[in-house]
Amino acid sequence: MSDDPRQAAERYRLDRRMRDAGMEPESAESPARGSTAAERAAFVETSIQQAIRRGEFDDLPGAGKPLRDLGGSHDPDWWIRRKIETEKLSGLGPPALTLRVEHAELAQRMDAISRESDVREALEDFNRRVIEARRQLLGGPPVVTPTVDVDAEIAAWASRRRARDAAPAVAPPPPARRRRWFRRR
């Protein structure tokens, strides 16, 4: 503790105000400001152990669950990867990664298109972007995504479309009958 009488007087006033407010005075529990790091660490450890015994850490969210990404290698961009994952953001990142994801979802994207000319245009645009990314003008990891055979993909698209059109359509249930109320005049 300090030998400065002004600090001692202020500490006394603060303790008195805390007692009047119904709170425990600071000097009774917490270490003094001039204490060593070891004393402060011991105080913190003791406080944590007392809180555990009182049950203040029971029923916390995530209790008993393993910590994510524990034991893996250090990634300096972990926070942006987690943000992209939690927000389900797409189209972000180096072209090598975005093209790989787009290639995996290519059939679904093509099935959403209704005209063959639009499918051909989308596939040619995909091939053009793959070739452009392979030139490595933008940097980033190497592009391993293959280009697609446009004619083969159009044939596959057409066969999926025919199969979808030939499948029996499941009729929606009939609408519920509603009673009509008429007001008499």
Side-chain angles (χ1 to χ4, degrees), residues 19 31 59 65 79-80 82 109 122 139 163 171 173 178 180:
R19 275 194 206 100
D59 301 327
K65 297 178 185 172
W79 60 275
I80 191 69
R82 187 168 297 164
R109 287 187 47 234
R178 294 176 52 187
R180 295 184 181 223

Side-chain angles (χ1 to χ4, degrees), residues 135-155:
R135 293 185 182 143
Q136 294 291 323
L137 297 175
L138 302 176
V143 179
V144 294
T145 307
T147 56
V148 294
D149 182 7
V150 175
D151 294 328
E153 285 294 324
I154 289 176

Side-chain angles (χ1 to χ4, degrees), residues 1 7 10-19 22-35 40 43:
M1 288 191 83
Q7 288 181 346
E10 183 58 34
R11 195 172 298 113
Y12 173 78
R13 283 189 220 107
L14 180 63
D15 288 349
R16 189 171 179 190
R17 276 187 255 142
M18 289 180 75
R19 275 194 206 100
M23 297 170 20
E24 193 66 30
E26 183 180 334
S27 61
E29 282 188 21
S30 64
R33 287 193 182 244
S35 62
R40 288 191 300 268
F43 170 76

Side-chain angles (χ1 to χ4, degrees), residues 60-75:
L60 289 176
K65 297 178 185 172
L67 297 175
R68 288 179 35 175
D69 304 328
L70 188 63
S73 61
H74 175 67
D75 181 14

